[in-house]
Amino acid sequence: MSLRKIKITSGQSLLIITSLLAIYYLVCGYVLSDMGYSNLESVFYVEKVRIIFEGIGYKLKVMGLTSPIIPFFATFAFTVIDPLLAPVIASCLGTAVLFYMIAGEITKRLKDDFYLFLLLAVFLFHPGLLYTACSGKSIYLVLIFFYLFFVNLFRYYTSNTTFHVSIASICLVILLFCDYKFIWLTLFFIPLVFSISIQSLNLAEKESIFRMTMSFNSPSLRRKLINKTFALYIILFVLPIASIVCYKLLNLTNANDVDYFLQSPYSTWTVLADRLNYDLTAMNPGADNTEVSLLITAKIIAFCPLIVVMMFFFRNKVYQVLTLLTPFAFVEFLHLKYDKTPIAYQYYLIFLVLAILCIIIKGANIKQQLIFKVALGFIMLLQCYTGYYFLKNSSSDEERKFIAAFIDRKLDEEKADEDRNMANYINGLPENTRVLVDDAVAYKIVAYTDNIKGLILPYQDNYVGAVESPGDYAQYILVTSPKNLMAGYTLLSSKYPPLLYQTANNYATLQKVHETPNWVLYRFL
């Protein structure tokens, strides 16, 4: 039976394939979770969602200022299934949706089953996409809206209809609320928009430099160029900037800090995660620090050589090549601005999505289809290996942990079980017991605790009073041990005054009841 007879490119068949892919991801995600795999981001969302649904006290600040807010809200719908698996379910289904969107575009433009099967193979076996789907992180949303943003830009290039720019602007807004660092992407679109405006002028001259000279020398053309450039800037950038300004005002109103969603460990998981990753790298003399000495662009090309191949096919389209170069400049900028943290894996994955988009746009126009398909298959196979290599040798402990769990089936059981160990002990305490906890650093323990109502947490009004006089509010207190790398980011550490001066200043006497390498639980006598 031929591929055409089974109508693999029809809408129904595509939906079935996507559903099977989602099931595949869900099984992999469940197996990893059952092994004890977790990451800081997904557990952070679990803890905040549980506070909203199960906690007591004023929770509007938690609901509105937890960042990034779109991935946080994406876990809500799946909390009813299993709170601990909600981020994993969301990422599995979200990655399947990304496949469906790209596959749908392939069936419309290319109408060749080879490209669809190749896409399916990449989504099945590429370690980076498996990491996106099964980790429970928000990478799937970043890839979806990054893809939609660039799809609409390329649609504008072919149709010259500003409607697509408006849609791209909306996608950029959502992308910013999935990962705020993409705000810096707008910097590199400023010269690109100017180039697009020059190319859109109705002139016989084809070379960009001469078109620009003619536009500057002619008052009418100069006026038209200024109007077009300004209009595109307004359409593309005003909505994202206005959205960020409004959100910062919301932070200022509710938290007295415009950057609360960026700088508070109670709002975002990245603050302490970046510091922890930096500390771990600094403490490990054998850590991979190639990002210091090697240009990030070279690493991107090594990770996704297909993007260079596709740029070659766009060589006669100046502003389309500039569009493809923009993410390179963006990632290089991130490396310079956030020099204390390694470039996250998701910023390499955006080039894989961008390369696939280039295939969709240019694939049908390539004359030597057989040679192109063979080369494409080989490059995709190579990229699956580079995807694995980059994860396995990543500077990020979390990324290495995923590949160790997924491929090598190995986890550091002591680290994986430590937070659950402490949470299980708290779960065994009497029902009405009150435990003072700082979830800036202990949110994993809070997420695994059965009774959230029994915890006194920073979002509650009585937390400040409990910190000053803990014996009057709680029967137990959870503090970090001296070995905990996050001990310097919380008041509830081994240097907490009630621990140092138990019999002075009316402090209650404490008794150590349970201890792990990074945590100590005390009971007030």
Side-chain angles (χ1 to χ4, degrees):
M1 184 180 290
S2 69
L3 294 177
R4 293 295 178 188
K5 288 183 180 180
I6 63 175
K7 296 182 180 179
I8 195 67
T9 59
S10 70
Q12 277 189 332
S13 299
L14 188 57
L15 192 60
I16 292 171
I17 293 172
T18 305
S19 301
L20 292 174
L21 182 65
I23 293 171
Y24 165 69
Y25 287 151
L26 287 168
V27 170
C28 293
Y30 177 79
V31 170
L32 285 173
S33 297
D34 192 55
M35 285 176 57
Y37 169 79
S38 65
N39 59 74
L40 298 177
E41 182 179 3
S42 62
V43 178
F44 183 83
Y45 296 146
V46 169
E47 189 248 357
K48 298 303 179 187
V49 170
R50 291 198 61 198
I51 285 176
I52 290 172
F53 286 106
E54 304 173 35
I56 54 176
Y58 182 73
K59 296 175 282 188
L60 189 60
K61 185 175 175 181
V62 177
M63 184 180 296
L65 302 185
T66 297
S67 176
I69 196 167
I70 300 295
F72 173 55
F73 285 156
T75 62
F76 274 38
F78 308 105
T79 302
V80 294
I81 300 174
D82 188 331
L84 292 176
L85 287 176
V88 176
I89 297 172
S91 64
C92 290
L93 298 182
T95 309
V97 169
L98 175 63
F99 167 80
Y100 184 80
M101 291 164 53
I102 298 175
E105 200 71 21
I106 286 177
T107 57
K108 290 176 186 176
R109 287 175 173 259
L110 299 179
K111 298 180 180 179
D112 189 328
D113 294 338
F114 169 81
Y115 296 103
L116 184 60
F117 281 125
L118 184 64
L119 179 71
L120 180 61
V122 170
F123 271 78
L124 282 171
F125 302 115
H126 193 287
L129 292 172
L130 290 171
Y131 178 56
T132 300
C134 305
S135 64
K137 295 173 74 70
S138 61
I139 302 173
Y140 70 101
L141 284 169
V142 171
L143 297 184
I144 286 174
F145 290 104
F146 181 86
Y147 169 78
L148 289 175
F149 176 68
F150 276 88
V151 161
N152 283 283
L153 284 182
F154 279 100
R155 285 174 181 169
Y156 169 73
Y157 297 158
T158 55
S159 67
N160 203 26
T161 305
T162 53
F163 167 78
H164 297 300
V165 182
S166 301
I167 300 300
S169 179
I170 294 172
C171 294
L172 181 58
V173 171
I174 302 174
L175 181 60
L176 295 181
F177 286 102
C178 295
D179 185 346
Y180 182 76
K181 288 181 180 178
F182 278 93
I183 190 69
W184 304 114
L185 183 64
T186 59
L187 288 177
F188 304 100
F189 271 97
I190 292 175
L192 176 62
V193 169
F194 180 70
S195 173
I196 294 169
S197 300
I198 292 174
Q199 292 294 328
S200 65
L201 294 176
N202 189 16
L203 298 174
E205 180 59 57
K206 300 298 181 184
E207 292 294 330
S208 298
I209 187 67
F210 295 119
R211 291 172 71 91
M212 184 172 65
T213 304
M214 292 174 63
S215 302
F216 286 163
N217 291 335
S218 170
S220 60
L221 288 175
R222 184 166 62 245
R223 186 168 55 252
K224 186 180 292 186
L225 175 62
I226 292 171
N227 291 339
K228 279 197 170 189
T229 304
F230 186 71
L232 282 177
Y233 282 147
I234 292 293
I235 296 171
L236 191 58
F237 297 134
V238 163
L239 186 58
I241 293 172
S243 301
I244 292 299
V245 169
C246 290
Y247 192 61
K248 288 202 171 193
L249 289 175
L250 181 67
N251 280 259
L252 180 62
T253 303
N254 290 274
N256 297 318
D257 183 2
V258 292
D259 291 328
Y260 176 82
F261 71 106
L262 295 174
Q263 298 177 353
S264 172
Y266 299 111
S267 176
T268 178
W269 66 278
T270 58
V271 175
L272 295 185
D274 288 345
R275 292 174 182 173
L276 176 62
N277 192 69
Y278 177 74
D279 290 343
L280 288 172
T281 303
M283 291 169 58
N284 183 9
D288 182 13
N289 293 317
T290 54
E291 290 184 356
V292 176
S293 58
L294 183 67
L295 285 175
I296 298 300
T297 299
K299 294 188 70 174
I300 292 170
I301 294 171
F303 177 83
C304 184
L306 182 60
I307 190 67
V308 179
V309 175
M310 297 315 300
M311 284 175 67
F312 172 78
F313 290 109
F314 281 103
R315 63 190 181 278
N316 296 323
K317 303 287 186 179
V318 175
Y319 53 91
Q320 292 181 345
V321 171
L322 288 175
T323 304
L324 297 176
L325 288 174
T326 299
F328 283 91
F330 163 67
V331 176
E332 285 283 3
F333 177 82
L334 291 184
H335 173 54
L336 295 174
K337 181 169 178 58
Y338 305 99
D339 57 332
K340 292 186 177 181
T341 57
I343 297 296
Y345 194 80
Q346 68 192 53
Y347 299 113
Y348 294 105
L349 278 175
I350 62 176
F351 292 94
L352 176 61
V353 172
L354 196 58
I356 293 172
L357 174 59
C358 292
I359 294 173
I360 295 172
I361 296 170
K362 274 290 184 182
N365 298 328
I366 297 172
K367 295 180 181 179
Q368 300 293 335
Q369 281 289 312
L370 180 60
I371 297 175
F372 178 66
K373 288 177 181 178
V374 171
L376 202 58
F378 174 77
I379 293 173
M380 286 297 189
L381 187 62
L382 175 64
Q383 290 185 171
C384 286
Y385 172 75
T386 57
Y388 166 77
Y389 180 84
F390 271 60
L391 271 179
K392 188 174 180 62
N393 296 279
S394 171
S395 299
S396 169
D397 183 61
E398 283 203 340
E399 292 168 4
R400 294 195 304 271
K401 188 169 73 170
F402 173 83
I403 206 69
F406 194 92
I407 303 295
D408 303 329
R409 315 294 291 174
K410 294 179 182 178
L411 273 179
D412 190 333
E413 294 184 4
E414 183 179 347
K415 290 184 178 179
D417 293 340
E418 182 181 354
D419 297 304
R420 285 187 171 90
N421 183 323
M422 182 59 75
N424 289 336
Y425 186 89
I426 294 174
N427 293 337
L429 297 176
E431 185 176 352
N432 296 324
T433 300
R434 304 285 285 168
V435 183
L436 179 61
V437 181
D438 184 1
D439 65 343
V441 294
Y443 59 83
K444 294 183 76 173
I445 295 173
V446 175
Y448 299 137
T449 302
D450 293 338
N451 183 20
I452 296 290
K453 294 182 176 66
L455 305 179
I456 301 175
L457 298 169
Y459 79 93
Q460 296 170 322
D461 294 334
N462 62 346
Y463 180 77
V464 175
V467 170
E468 293 177 351
S469 182
D472 297 336
Y473 292 84
Q475 290 82 47
Y476 291 83
I477 181 172
L478 179 67
V479 302
T480 59
S481 70
K483 295 181 180 179
N484 194 320
L485 292 176
M486 293 291 99
Y489 304 106
T490 175
L491 287 174
L492 305 184
S493 67
S494 57
K495 297 180 180 179
Y496 182 48
L499 297 182
L500 295 177
Y501 314 108
Q502 293 188 34
T503 59
N505 299 324
N506 298 320
Y507 287 136
T509 304
L510 294 170
Q511 178 186 13
K512 185 186 297 183
V513 293
H514 190 64
E515 183 176 13
T516 67
N518 288 296
W519 302 100
V520 184
L521 185 68
Y522 288 94
R523 180 167 65 92
F524 292 101
L525 299 178

